[in-house]
Amino acid sequence: MNTLSTNLMIKKIVLTGLAQLVLISSILAQADTDFLRSTGKIYTVVAVLALIFIGIVFFLIYLERKVSKIEKEIGNE
Amino acid sequence: MVKHWWKILAVLILLYTIFAGILVPLKPGILEVYPITGETGQSINLKVTGYNSHYLDAQQKPRVWLKYDSVFAISASEVNLINNTRLDARFNLPNNVPGGKEVTELSLIIHNDIDGPSLLPSAIFLKQTENASANSWQSDIISNLPLKEGIQFPYRSNLQESIRNLYYHVPMWFAMMIILLIAAIYSFLYLRKKEDKYDHLASSYSAVGLVLGILGLVTGMIWAKYTWGRAWSWDVKQNVSAISLLIYFAYFILRSSIDDDASKKRLASVYNIYAFIALVPLLFVIPRLSDSLHPGNGGNPAMGGEDLDNTMRLVFYPAVIGWILFSAWIANLFSRIKSIREKLDIKKYEISS
Amino acid sequence: MSGILFPMNNQLVALLKKDLKIDFRQQFAILGIFLFVATTVFIVFFSFKQINPREFVILYWIIFLFAAQNAILKSFVQESGKRHLYYYTLTDPITVLISKLIYNIILLLLIAFGTYALFQLLAGPEIIDPKLFITAIVLGSLGIGSVFSFLSAIAIKAHNSSVLLTLLSFPIIIPVLMLCIKLSIMSVKLNEAMITPLPFEEYQSDLAMLGGIDVILLAMSLVLFSTIWKN
C-alpha cells in the first residue's frame, strides 16, 4: 500500500513536472524575445542548462520508479 | 572508492565546465550600430553600442574604422565618447565604393588599449548614389591593432553570451555518438557471447544515448531560436539528428513488440548494430555534402580555427569527456537495475513453477 | 562464403522460381501493386494538372517508396509462420536472404520502371540524362530492397509486423531516398535553358555516397542475416 501511494505520488510529480515544462516553455515563447535576448542572450544559456538538468531529473525519476517496483516485489515475498 | 574514480572525475570535470563556461567573460565587442544604412558622399554620425567595452576607461581614445577589405577602409573623422559602452563616430563617406556594387556592406572596427580590437561584420550598408565623382577611397590603412591576450571567450555579434552554449549543447551530440557506439559494441558482444548482461548494457546505453540526443535536439532548438531566428530551420544537421533519434525510437519499439526473451535480445542486438552502422554515414557524410547553418559547413562538419579558439578548447574538450563519463555512469546504473529486474523475474518464475 | 556459392546456385534458382511461381499464382497481389501505383499517379495528375519537374521527381520517389513497401509486405505476409524455418532446414540462411534480395530488387526495379512509364505516358518532364536517372533508380532499388528484405526478417518475429517494418526501415531509408531524389532531379530537364546533361563532376560525390551506402547496407545484411536465424 505504501509503495503504491509513493508510485502514485511519483506519477503525479512527473505529470506536474511535464505540465510545468510546457508552461515554462509557453511563457518563454510568449514573453520570449526581449527577456531571452537581454544581457547578451545569457538567458539562452540558462535555459539550456536548465533543460539538461530537467532531462536528467526525468531520467532519474524513471529509474526511481523501476527501483521502487523491484523493492515492492522483494518486500512482498 | 578506487573503483569509482571515473565517476568522481566525471562530476569534477562537469563542475569545472559549468563554472568555467559561465564565469569566464566574453571579449569586448560591438553590440549594435545606428543607423545601418548610408549613402555615398554623405557625412553620417554612427551611434555605436559596445559590449563589455571600456571606451572611457581606456587611456587612448578609441580608434574607429569602417572597413571594406584589407586595402580600403576609412577612419572616423570625429569620435565622441558618451560612456564605457557608447560612442558616436562621424564618418565622411566617400563618393564611390571600390567594388562598384549598388549596395556594399562595410564592417566596423574599434580599437583601444584596454579592449583590443573589436569588429562588427556588415555593420552598415552603403548605397551607391548617382553623384559619383573622382573623390575615391582614402584607403586609410588599419594598422597597429595589438591583440589583447587573456582568458576570454570570443565575441560573435550573432551569438554574444550564448556562445557558452557550445559547452552544453555540442557535448550532448559527442557524448551521444560515443554512448551509442558503446551500445553497438555491447550488442556485438551479446551476439558473440549470449550473456544477458551485455544485452542489458546495450539497451541501457541506447536509452541514455537517446536521452542525450533528445537533450541535444531541444537545447539546439532553443539556441537556434535566438541565433537563427527559428527553432527549426530544416538545417541538414537538425534533420539528420532527428532521423537518428527515430532510428533509436524504432529500436525500443522493436524490443517491446517481441515476446520471446531470447529472440527479443538477439533481434534487438542485430538491429542495434545495423542501425548504428546505417547512422554513421548519416551523421558524418551527409552534412559534408550540403550547406548548413552550423559552423564548419559545406565540406567540413568539424569545428576548427575560427569557431573554436584556444580558450574555448580548454572548456569544450573537458565538457565532452565529462559528459561521456557521466552518461556512462547513468547507463551502468540503469543496466544494473535491469539485471536485478531479470534475476527477480527468473526467481519468481522458478517459485511459481 | 565462396565455399557455399557453388552448391548455392541451384538452391538459389529454386528459391527464385518458387517466389515467381507464387506470384504468378496469386496475380492479384502483384496487380494490386500496379493498381496502387496507377491510382496514386492518377490522383497526382488530376490534382496538380501542371506539374513542375522538381515536384514530379519528388512525387515519383514517394509513390515508388510506398509501392515498394506494399510489394515487400506482400512477399512478407505470404512467408509468415514457420515457413522460413522450413527453408532454413533445406538450405542455409544466406541463400534464403540472397534469393529474397534478388527477387525483391527485381520487383522494385519493375515497379520503378513501371511507375516511370506511367508518368511519362501522362506527360512527365523530359529526362535529359537517362543514364543518371537509370543509375539512380537501380541504386535506389538496391538500397531500399536490401533494407526492406533484411528488416522484414526481423519484423516477422514481432507482433504487428507490418507496422513495425515501416517503423524500423523508414529512418534508415531516408538518406538513400534523399540522395536518389537529389540525383534524379539533376537528370531531369528543369527549365528550357537546360540543353546538355550536367557534367559528371557535378554529381559524382552524391553518386559515390549513394553507392557507398548501398554497399554498407548490403554487406551488413549479408553479415548479420545468419545471426537472425541462428538459435
mmCIF file of all heavy atoms in Angstrom, chain A residues 2-47:
data_model
loop_
_atom_site.group_PDB
_atom_site.id
_atom_site.type_symbol
_atom_site.label_atom_id
_atom_site.label_comp_id
_atom_site.label_asym_id
_atom_site.label_seq_id
_atom_site.Cartn_x
_atom_site.Cartn_y
_atom_site.Cartn_z
ATOM 1 N N ASN A 2 1.874 1.199 0.864
ATOM 2 C CA ASN A 2 2.753 2.358 0.975
ATOM 3 C C ASN A 2 3.459 2.635 -0.353
ATOM 4 O O ASN A 2 3.476 3.760 -0.846
ATOM 5 C CB ASN A 2 3.772 2.100 2.093
ATOM 6 C CG ASN A 2 4.522 3.355 2.470
ATOM 7 O OD1 ASN A 2 4.024 4.450 2.176
ATOM 8 N ND2 ASN A 2 5.673 3.198 3.058
ATOM 9 N N THR A 3 4.021 1.546 -0.947
ATOM 10 C CA THR A 3 4.749 1.732 -2.204
ATOM 11 C C THR A 3 3.811 2.164 -3.306
ATOM 12 O O THR A 3 4.195 2.918 -4.202
ATOM 13 C CB THR A 3 5.460 0.444 -2.613
ATOM 14 O OG1 THR A 3 4.600 -0.643 -2.321
ATOM 15 C CG2 THR A 3 6.766 0.296 -1.905
ATOM 16 N N LEU A 4 2.556 1.687 -3.230
ATOM 17 C CA LEU A 4 1.591 2.071 -4.245
ATOM 18 C C LEU A 4 1.374 3.578 -4.206
ATOM 19 O O LEU A 4 1.371 4.253 -5.236
ATOM 20 C CB LEU A 4 0.278 1.328 -3.989
ATOM 21 C CG LEU A 4 -0.650 1.254 -5.199
ATOM 22 C CD1 LEU A 4 -0.073 0.308 -6.232
ATOM 23 C CD2 LEU A 4 -2.032 0.814 -4.771
ATOM 24 N N SER A 5 1.222 4.099 -2.969
ATOM 25 C CA SER A 5 0.961 5.533 -2.863
ATOM 26 C C SER A 5 2.185 6.333 -3.313
ATOM 27 O O SER A 5 2.050 7.366 -3.958
ATOM 28 C CB SER A 5 0.563 5.904 -1.446
ATOM 29 O OG SER A 5 1.631 5.644 -0.585
ATOM 30 N N THR A 6 3.413 5.811 -2.989
ATOM 31 C CA THR A 6 4.598 6.540 -3.468
ATOM 32 C C THR A 6 4.647 6.518 -4.981
ATOM 33 O O THR A 6 5.002 7.507 -5.617
ATOM 34 C CB THR A 6 5.904 5.945 -2.927
ATOM 35 O OG1 THR A 6 5.780 4.553 -2.897
ATOM 36 C CG2 THR A 6 6.273 6.498 -1.589
ATOM 37 N N ASN A 7 4.249 5.367 -5.559
ATOM 38 C CA ASN A 7 4.226 5.299 -7.009
ATOM 39 C C ASN A 7 3.287 6.333 -7.595
ATOM 40 O O ASN A 7 3.616 7.022 -8.554
ATOM 41 C CB ASN A 7 3.756 3.908 -7.437
ATOM 42 C CG ASN A 7 4.927 3.092 -7.963
ATOM 43 O OD1 ASN A 7 6.025 3.618 -8.068
ATOM 44 N ND2 ASN A 7 4.675 1.844 -8.267
ATOM 45 N N LEU A 8 2.112 6.432 -6.982
ATOM 46 C CA LEU A 8 1.139 7.419 -7.437
ATOM 47 C C LEU A 8 1.715 8.818 -7.325
ATOM 48 O O LEU A 8 1.559 9.658 -8.202
ATOM 49 C CB LEU A 8 -0.139 7.308 -6.606
ATOM 50 C CG LEU A 8 -1.158 6.294 -7.138
ATOM 51 C CD1 LEU A 8 -2.325 6.185 -6.188
ATOM 52 C CD2 LEU A 8 -1.631 6.703 -8.527
ATOM 53 N N MET A 9 2.426 9.026 -6.190
ATOM 54 C CA MET A 9 2.994 10.342 -5.947
ATOM 55 C C MET A 9 4.017 10.671 -7.031
ATOM 56 O O MET A 9 4.041 11.774 -7.575
ATOM 57 C CB MET A 9 3.657 10.369 -4.572
ATOM 58 C CG MET A 9 3.621 11.718 -3.923
ATOM 59 S SD MET A 9 4.232 11.592 -2.238
ATOM 60 C CE MET A 9 5.955 11.370 -2.485
ATOM 61 N N ILE A 10 4.855 9.647 -7.341
ATOM 62 C CA ILE A 10 5.878 9.883 -8.368
ATOM 63 C C ILE A 10 5.224 10.206 -9.696
ATOM 64 O O ILE A 10 5.615 11.123 -10.403
ATOM 65 C CB ILE A 10 6.802 8.655 -8.479
ATOM 66 C CG1 ILE A 10 7.696 8.573 -7.246
ATOM 67 C CG2 ILE A 10 7.656 8.733 -9.711
ATOM 68 C CD1 ILE A 10 8.397 7.258 -7.104
ATOM 69 N N LYS A 11 4.144 9.460 -9.989
ATOM 70 C CA LYS A 11 3.413 9.718 -11.218
ATOM 71 C C LYS A 11 2.935 11.163 -11.260
ATOM 72 O O LYS A 11 3.052 11.864 -12.253
ATOM 73 C CB LYS A 11 2.228 8.753 -11.307
ATOM 74 C CG LYS A 11 2.013 8.191 -12.715
ATOM 75 C CD LYS A 11 0.895 7.188 -12.715
ATOM 76 C CE LYS A 11 1.338 5.844 -13.262
ATOM 77 N NZ LYS A 11 0.305 4.829 -13.132
ATOM 78 N N LYS A 12 2.404 11.594 -10.107
ATOM 79 C CA LYS A 12 1.903 12.960 -10.002
ATOM 80 C C LYS A 12 3.031 13.959 -10.251
ATOM 81 O O LYS A 12 2.878 14.937 -10.977
ATOM 82 C CB LYS A 12 1.317 13.176 -8.607
ATOM 83 C CG LYS A 12 -0.095 13.742 -8.628
ATOM 84 C CD LYS A 12 -0.582 13.941 -7.213
ATOM 85 C CE LYS A 12 -2.012 13.465 -7.040
ATOM 86 N NZ LYS A 12 -2.401 13.471 -5.625
ATOM 87 N N ILE A 13 4.180 13.661 -9.614
ATOM 88 C CA ILE A 13 5.315 14.574 -9.758
ATOM 89 C C ILE A 13 5.728 14.676 -11.219
ATOM 90 O O ILE A 13 5.922 15.774 -11.751
ATOM 91 C CB ILE A 13 6.516 14.093 -8.900
ATOM 92 C CG1 ILE A 13 6.191 14.270 -7.418
ATOM 93 C CG2 ILE A 13 7.778 14.870 -9.255
ATOM 94 C CD1 ILE A 13 7.204 13.625 -6.504
ATOM 95 N N VAL A 14 5.787 13.493 -11.886
ATOM 96 C CA VAL A 14 6.184 13.504 -13.291
ATOM 97 C C VAL A 14 5.205 14.323 -14.111
ATOM 98 O O VAL A 14 5.587 15.169 -14.926
ATOM 99 C CB VAL A 14 6.272 12.063 -13.830
ATOM 100 C CG1 VAL A 14 6.485 12.075 -15.337
ATOM 101 C CG2 VAL A 14 7.396 11.313 -13.160
ATOM 102 N N LEU A 15 3.909 14.093 -13.838
ATOM 103 C CA LEU A 15 2.897 14.798 -14.621
ATOM 104 C C LEU A 15 2.953 16.300 -14.383
ATOM 105 O O LEU A 15 2.945 17.092 -15.322
ATOM 106 C CB LEU A 15 1.502 14.258 -14.276
ATOM 107 C CG LEU A 15 1.177 12.925 -14.935
ATOM 108 C CD1 LEU A 15 -0.184 12.445 -14.505
ATOM 109 C CD2 LEU A 15 1.241 13.045 -16.454
ATOM 110 N N THR A 16 3.037 16.704 -13.093
ATOM 111 C CA THR A 16 3.089 18.145 -12.831
ATOM 112 C C THR A 16 4.375 18.731 -13.402
ATOM 113 O O THR A 16 4.368 19.854 -13.895
ATOM 114 C CB THR A 16 3.013 18.453 -11.329
ATOM 115 O OG1 THR A 16 3.883 17.555 -10.646
ATOM 116 C CG2 THR A 16 1.617 18.331 -10.794
ATOM 117 N N GLY A 17 5.452 17.943 -13.343
ATOM 118 C CA GLY A 17 6.712 18.421 -13.910
ATOM 119 C C GLY A 17 6.576 18.671 -15.395
ATOM 120 O O GLY A 17 6.993 19.709 -15.906
ATOM 121 N N LEU A 18 5.916 17.722 -16.080
ATOM 122 C CA LEU A 18 5.696 17.885 -17.515
ATOM 123 C C LEU A 18 4.857 19.117 -17.794
ATOM 124 O O LEU A 18 5.168 19.917 -18.673
ATOM 125 C CB LEU A 18 4.985 16.652 -18.062
ATOM 126 C CG LEU A 18 5.879 15.555 -18.638
ATOM 127 C CD1 LEU A 18 5.040 14.373 -19.051
ATOM 128 C CD2 LEU A 18 6.651 16.101 -19.822
ATOM 129 N N ALA A 19 3.784 19.266 -16.977
ATOM 130 C CA ALA A 19 2.899 20.405 -17.168
ATOM 131 C C ALA A 19 3.678 21.708 -16.980
ATOM 132 O O ALA A 19 3.529 22.665 -17.737
ATOM 133 C CB ALA A 19 1.731 20.337 -16.188
ATOM 134 N N GLN A 20 4.550 21.699 -15.943
ATOM 135 C CA GLN A 20 5.330 22.905 -15.682
ATOM 136 C C GLN A 20 6.268 23.212 -16.835
ATOM 137 O O GLN A 20 6.435 24.363 -17.224
ATOM 138 C CB GLN A 20 6.145 22.719 -14.408
ATOM 139 C CG GLN A 20 5.435 23.274 -13.202
ATOM 140 C CD GLN A 20 6.152 22.944 -11.938
ATOM 141 O OE1 GLN A 20 7.238 22.375 -11.972
ATOM 142 N NE2 GLN A 20 5.571 23.287 -10.818
ATOM 143 N N LEU A 21 6.857 22.137 -17.388
ATOM 144 C CA LEU A 21 7.789 22.316 -18.506
ATOM 145 C C LEU A 21 7.080 22.981 -19.674
ATOM 146 O O LEU A 21 7.574 23.932 -20.275
ATOM 147 C CB LEU A 21 8.349 20.961 -18.916
ATOM 148 C CG LEU A 21 9.624 20.984 -19.728
ATOM 149 C CD1 LEU A 21 10.749 21.532 -18.884
ATOM 150 C CD2 LEU A 21 9.963 19.602 -20.217
ATOM 151 N N VAL A 22 5.863 22.456 -19.959
ATOM 152 C CA VAL A 22 5.082 23.023 -21.054
ATOM 153 C C VAL A 22 4.755 24.484 -20.761
ATOM 154 O O VAL A 22 4.889 25.365 -21.619
ATOM 155 C CB VAL A 22 3.781 22.213 -21.256
ATOM 156 C CG1 VAL A 22 2.876 22.894 -22.258
ATOM 157 C CG2 VAL A 22 4.110 20.808 -21.713
ATOM 158 N N LEU A 23 4.376 24.744 -19.477
ATOM 159 C CA LEU A 23 4.015 26.103 -19.070
ATOM 160 C C LEU A 23 5.199 27.044 -19.249
ATOM 161 O O LEU A 23 5.098 28.105 -19.864
ATOM 162 C CB LEU A 23 3.580 26.074 -17.611
ATOM 163 C CG LEU A 23 2.750 27.255 -17.138
ATOM 164 C CD1 LEU A 23 1.378 27.183 -17.776
ATOM 165 C CD2 LEU A 23 2.642 27.258 -15.634
ATOM 166 N N ILE A 24 6.350 26.596 -18.721
ATOM 167 C CA ILE A 24 7.552 27.439 -18.798
ATOM 168 C C ILE A 24 7.892 27.748 -20.240
ATOM 169 O O ILE A 24 8.133 28.899 -20.609
ATOM 170 C CB ILE A 24 8.745 26.725 -18.118
ATOM 171 C CG1 ILE A 24 8.531 26.645 -16.608
ATOM 172 C CG2 ILE A 24 10.040 27.479 -18.402
ATOM 173 C CD1 ILE A 24 9.506 25.722 -15.916
ATOM 174 N N SER A 25 7.828 26.688 -21.079
ATOM 175 C CA SER A 25 8.243 26.933 -22.459
ATOM 176 C C SER A 25 7.249 27.838 -23.170
ATOM 177 O O SER A 25 7.636 28.648 -24.015
ATOM 178 C CB SER A 25 8.417 25.621 -23.218
ATOM 179 O OG SER A 25 7.265 24.854 -23.115
ATOM 180 N N SER A 26 5.942 27.731 -22.794
ATOM 181 C CA SER A 26 4.975 28.604 -23.459
ATOM 182 C C SER A 26 5.160 30.052 -23.003
ATOM 183 O O SER A 26 5.052 30.986 -23.786
ATOM 184 C CB SER A 26 3.545 28.140 -23.198
ATOM 185 O OG SER A 26 3.231 28.309 -21.844
ATOM 186 N N ILE A 27 5.506 30.214 -21.706
ATOM 187 C CA ILE A 27 5.769 31.562 -21.206
ATOM 188 C C ILE A 27 6.988 32.141 -21.924
ATOM 189 O O ILE A 27 6.989 33.279 -22.389
ATOM 190 C CB ILE A 27 6.003 31.551 -19.681
ATOM 191 C CG1 ILE A 27 4.673 31.292 -18.958
ATOM 192 C CG2 ILE A 27 6.576 32.882 -19.202
ATOM 193 C CD1 ILE A 27 4.839 31.013 -17.494
ATOM 194 N N LEU A 28 8.017 31.272 -22.052
ATOM 195 C CA LEU A 28 9.227 31.720 -22.744
ATOM 196 C C LEU A 28 8.904 32.112 -24.179
ATOM 197 O O LEU A 28 9.432 33.082 -24.707
ATOM 198 C CB LEU A 28 10.269 30.601 -22.752
ATOM 199 C CG LEU A 28 11.043 30.409 -21.459
ATOM 200 C CD1 LEU A 28 12.077 29.323 -21.639
ATOM 201 C CD2 LEU A 28 11.717 31.700 -21.049
ATOM 202 N N ALA A 29 7.988 31.338 -24.805
ATOM 203 C CA ALA A 29 7.685 31.614 -26.201
ATOM 204 C C ALA A 29 6.909 32.910 -26.368
ATOM 205 O O ALA A 29 7.028 33.587 -27.372
ATOM 206 C CB ALA A 29 6.906 30.449 -26.803
ATOM 207 N N GLN A 30 6.099 33.250 -25.336
ATOM 208 C CA GLN A 30 5.304 34.461 -25.475
ATOM 209 C C GLN A 30 6.086 35.710 -25.099
ATOM 210 O O GLN A 30 6.241 36.622 -25.884
ATOM 211 C CB GLN A 30 4.059 34.369 -24.581
ATOM 212 C CG GLN A 30 2.947 33.592 -25.244
ATOM 213 C CD GLN A 30 1.863 33.255 -24.276
ATOM 214 O OE1 GLN A 30 1.851 33.743 -23.158
ATOM 215 N NE2 GLN A 30 0.935 32.411 -24.702
ATOM 216 N N ALA A 31 6.601 35.670 -23.885
ATOM 217 C CA ALA A 31 7.322 36.849 -23.422
ATOM 218 C C ALA A 31 8.723 36.841 -24.001
ATOM 219 O O ALA A 31 9.550 37.644 -23.654
ATOM 220 C CB ALA A 31 7.384 36.836 -21.912
ATOM 221 N N ASP A 32 8.916 35.921 -24.948
ATOM 222 C CA ASP A 32 10.267 35.485 -25.279
ATOM 223 C C ASP A 32 11.241 36.593 -25.587
ATOM 224 O O ASP A 32 12.030 36.994 -24.755
ATOM 225 C CB ASP A 32 10.227 34.469 -26.419
ATOM 226 C CG ASP A 32 9.718 35.034 -27.728
ATOM 227 O OD1 ASP A 32 9.143 36.130 -27.724
ATOM 228 O OD2 ASP A 32 9.890 34.400 -28.740
ATOM 229 N N THR A 33 11.063 37.113 -26.787
ATOM 230 C CA THR A 33 12.168 37.781 -27.438
ATOM 231 C C THR A 33 12.962 38.667 -26.496
ATOM 232 O O THR A 33 14.166 38.504 -26.395
ATOM 233 C CB THR A 33 11.667 38.597 -28.633
ATOM 234 O OG1 THR A 33 10.460 39.214 -28.219
ATOM 235 C CG2 THR A 33 11.399 37.710 -29.814
ATOM 236 N N ASP A 34 12.264 39.527 -25.792
ATOM 237 C CA ASP A 34 13.043 40.529 -25.078
ATOM 238 C C ASP A 34 13.799 39.962 -23.897
ATOM 239 O O ASP A 34 14.946 40.285 -23.691
ATOM 240 C CB ASP A 34 12.135 41.672 -24.671
ATOM 241 C CG ASP A 34 11.683 42.393 -25.920
ATOM 242 O OD1 ASP A 34 12.556 42.582 -26.794
ATOM 243 O OD2 ASP A 34 10.499 42.688 -26.052
ATOM 244 N N PHE A 35 13.124 39.052 -23.157
ATOM 245 C CA PHE A 35 13.822 38.548 -21.973
ATOM 246 C C PHE A 35 15.016 37.684 -22.357
ATOM 247 O O PHE A 35 16.125 37.896 -21.871
ATOM 248 C CB PHE A 35 12.857 37.760 -21.087
ATOM 249 C CG PHE A 35 13.531 37.197 -19.890
ATOM 250 C CD1 PHE A 35 14.096 38.046 -18.946
ATOM 251 C CD2 PHE A 35 13.645 35.831 -19.715
ATOM 252 C CE1 PHE A 35 14.743 37.547 -17.842
ATOM 253 C CE2 PHE A 35 14.292 35.317 -18.608
ATOM 254 C CZ PHE A 35 14.835 36.177 -17.675
ATOM 255 N N LEU A 36 14.794 36.698 -23.230
ATOM 256 C CA LEU A 36 15.920 35.816 -23.554
ATOM 257 C C LEU A 36 16.996 36.507 -24.376
ATOM 258 O O LEU A 36 18.129 36.075 -24.396
ATOM 259 C CB LEU A 36 15.443 34.549 -24.261
ATOM 260 C CG LEU A 36 15.263 33.400 -23.276
ATOM 261 C CD1 LEU A 36 13.883 33.398 -22.712
ATOM 262 C CD2 LEU A 36 15.614 32.086 -23.891
ATOM 263 N N ARG A 37 16.635 37.604 -25.036
ATOM 264 C CA ARG A 37 17.653 38.317 -25.782
ATOM 265 C C ARG A 37 18.387 39.343 -24.924
ATOM 266 O O ARG A 37 19.385 39.901 -25.346
ATOM 267 C CB ARG A 37 17.035 39.020 -26.989
ATOM 268 C CG ARG A 37 16.893 38.128 -28.184
ATOM 269 C CD ARG A 37 16.302 38.875 -29.350
ATOM 270 N NE ARG A 37 15.371 38.027 -30.077
ATOM 271 C CZ ARG A 37 15.747 37.045 -30.882
ATOM 272 N NH1 ARG A 37 17.008 36.795 -31.086
ATOM 273 N NH2 ARG A 37 14.840 36.314 -31.499
ATOM 274 N N SER A 38 17.897 39.599 -23.726
ATOM 275 C CA SER A 38 18.520 40.641 -22.921
ATOM 276 C C SER A 38 19.861 40.170 -22.387
ATOM 277 O O SER A 38 20.151 38.979 -22.360
ATOM 278 C CB SER A 38 17.591 41.024 -21.767
ATOM 279 O OG SER A 38 17.375 39.905 -20.953
ATOM 280 N N THR A 39 20.664 41.141 -21.918
ATOM 281 C CA THR A 39 22.010 40.882 -21.397
ATOM 282 C C THR A 39 22.787 39.899 -22.260
ATOM 283 O O THR A 39 23.265 38.875 -21.788
ATOM 284 C CB THR A 39 21.975 40.350 -19.942
ATOM 285 O OG1 THR A 39 20.647 40.375 -19.476
ATOM 286 C CG2 THR A 39 22.871 41.166 -19.056
ATOM 287 N N GLY A 40 22.876 40.226 -23.531
ATOM 288 C CA GLY A 40 23.723 39.425 -24.403
ATOM 289 C C GLY A 40 23.277 37.993 -24.516
ATOM 290 O O GLY A 40 24.093 37.083 -24.586
ATOM 291 N N LYS A 41 21.970 37.734 -24.534
ATOM 292 C CA LYS A 41 21.397 36.383 -24.726
ATOM 293 C C LYS A 41 21.893 35.393 -23.670
ATOM 294 O O LYS A 41 21.900 34.187 -23.913
ATOM 295 C CB LYS A 41 21.740 35.843 -26.116
ATOM 296 C CG LYS A 41 21.232 36.678 -27.262
ATOM 297 C CD LYS A 41 21.562 36.011 -28.585
ATOM 298 C CE LYS A 41 21.129 36.884 -29.745
ATOM 299 N NZ LYS A 41 21.511 36.340 -31.024
ATOM 300 N N ILE A 42 22.284 35.878 -22.508
ATOM 301 C CA ILE A 42 22.810 34.966 -21.482
ATOM 302 C C ILE A 42 21.722 33.999 -21.024
ATOM 303 O O ILE A 42 22.003 32.870 -20.634
ATOM 304 C CB ILE A 42 23.399 35.740 -20.284
ATOM 305 C CG1 ILE A 42 24.109 34.819 -19.304
ATOM 306 C CG2 ILE A 42 22.329 36.513 -19.535
ATOM 307 C CD1 ILE A 42 25.378 34.238 -19.819
ATOM 308 N N TYR A 43 20.448 34.409 -21.120
ATOM 309 C CA TYR A 43 19.387 33.534 -20.610
ATOM 310 C C TYR A 43 19.162 32.316 -21.486
ATOM 311 O O TYR A 43 18.587 31.332 -21.028
ATOM 312 C CB TYR A 43 18.091 34.332 -20.388
ATOM 313 C CG TYR A 43 18.269 35.292 -19.241
ATOM 314 C CD1 TYR A 43 18.433 36.647 -19.461
ATOM 315 C CD2 TYR A 43 18.350 34.820 -17.944
ATOM 316 C CE1 TYR A 43 18.657 37.515 -18.408
ATOM 317 C CE2 TYR A 43 18.570 35.680 -16.893
ATOM 318 C CZ TYR A 43 18.728 37.017 -17.118
ATOM 319 O OH TYR A 43 18.962 37.860 -16.073
ATOM 320 N N THR A 44 19.620 32.363 -22.746
ATOM 321 C CA THR A 44 19.540 31.120 -23.521
ATOM 322 C C THR A 44 20.450 30.062 -22.895
ATOM 323 O O THR A 44 20.118 28.888 -22.875
ATOM 324 C CB THR A 44 19.975 31.324 -24.981
ATOM 325 O OG1 THR A 44 21.333 31.740 -25.000
ATOM 326 C CG2 THR A 44 19.127 32.340 -25.679
ATOM 327 N N VAL A 45 21.598 30.503 -22.359
ATOM 328 C CA VAL A 45 22.499 29.560 -21.702
ATOM 329 C C VAL A 45 21.830 28.994 -20.457
ATOM 330 O O VAL A 45 21.882 27.785 -20.200
ATOM 331 C CB VAL A 45 23.829 30.248 -21.340
ATOM 332 C CG1 VAL A 45 24.796 29.235 -20.775
ATOM 333 C CG2 VAL A 45 24.425 30.929 -22.529
ATOM 334 N N VAL A 46 21.148 29.891 -19.713
ATOM 335 C CA VAL A 46 20.436 29.434 -18.515
ATOM 336 C C VAL A 46 19.367 28.418 -18.910
ATOM 337 O O VAL A 46 19.239 27.361 -18.293
ATOM 338 C CB VAL A 46 19.800 30.630 -17.781
ATOM 339 C CG1 VAL A 46 18.980 30.155 -16.597
ATOM 340 C CG2 VAL A 46 20.879 31.592 -17.329
ATOM 341 N N ALA A 47 18.624 28.729 -19.979
ATOM 342 C CA ALA A 47 17.558 27.827 -20.421
ATOM 343 C C ALA A 47 18.138 26.473 -20.824
ATOM 344 O O ALA A 47 17.581 25.427 -20.481
ATOM 345 C CB ALA A 47 16.797 28.449 -21.590
#
